[in-house]
Amino acid sequence: MGRTKKQEPDNLELITGIIRDIVDIVEAAYQVKLNTETWDYRRFVTHIRFFAQRMLQNKQYESTDDEWYQLLKDKYRKSYNCIVKIADYIHDRYYYEMDREEMMYLMIHIEKVTRELT
């Protein structure tokens, strides 16, 4: 079953809103304005876009490396706290449970995109 032209703009609009909301959550958590001109920012937004597509298709990563997750959680406490806010927002707004693998990748991106701003 193919997509209709009407569905694509709706999904694009929804994905754009998700990206904007997640960027807003990060900026509020770190009390910074992210530099949209950096390579790290573009990669962060690209990752969010693919996450949003997976979420809308109700897909998740296959496995989670709990050891890596715990390591990142302990090392990047502020990013982890930010991810919890993002996961809560996604759950409350879209009824989607963000898996640990997704949280781990987003923690890494948040660390990269905020490291020179904090």
Side-chain angles (χ1 to χ4, degrees):
M1 193 179 279
R3 286 187 163 162
T4 66
K5 289 183 179 183
K6 174 111 176 77
Q7 288 172 318
E8 289 178 17
D10 288 347
N11 278 349
L12 182 60
E13 212 172 286
L14 184 58
I15 290 169
T16 301
I18 292 167
I19 292 168
R20 185 180 49 250
D21 291 345
I22 290 175
V23 167
D24 287 348
I25 291 168
V26 172
E27 288 180 336
Y30 281 83
Q31 298 182 338
V32 296
K33 181 77 175 143
L34 297 179
N35 182 352
T36 60
E37 302 299 316
T38 66
W39 179 248
D40 287 331
Y41 180 83
R42 287 190 288 274
R43 286 181 23 206
F44 176 52
V45 167
T46 298
H47 183 85
I48 298 169
R49 181 167 32 92
F50 285 118
F51 159 70
Q53 290 170 344
R54 283 190 299 279
M55 182 187 77
L56 293 173
Q57 296 168 357
N58 205 27
K59 293 182 179 178
Q60 293 190 330
Y61 285 111
E62 301 248 339
S63 65
T64 300
D65 186 335
D66 286 333
E67 192 175 330
W68 275 104
Y69 175 80
Q70 196 59 47
L71 180 72
L72 289 171
K73 178 182 169 184
D74 293 342
K75 182 173 173 83
Y76 301 125
R77 206 75 194 134
K78 194 168 187 178
S79 290
Y80 172 74
N81 291 335
C82 185
I83 288 299
V84 169
K85 291 176 186 173
I86 293 169
D88 287 346
Y89 155 78
I90 293 295
H91 180 266
D92 293 347
R93 181 92 186 257
Y94 302 101
Y95 310 106
Y96 180 84
E97 206 63 47
M98 190 182 290
D99 63 44
R100 284 184 168 196
E101 195 89 5
E102 191 68 60
M103 293 172 78
M104 194 168 67
Y105 287 124
L106 277 172
M107 268 191 276
I108 293 167
H109 281 291
I110 289 170
E111 275 302 309
K112 288 182 175 189
V113 83
T114 60
R115 72 177 144 208
E116 293 176 7
L117 300 172
T118 56

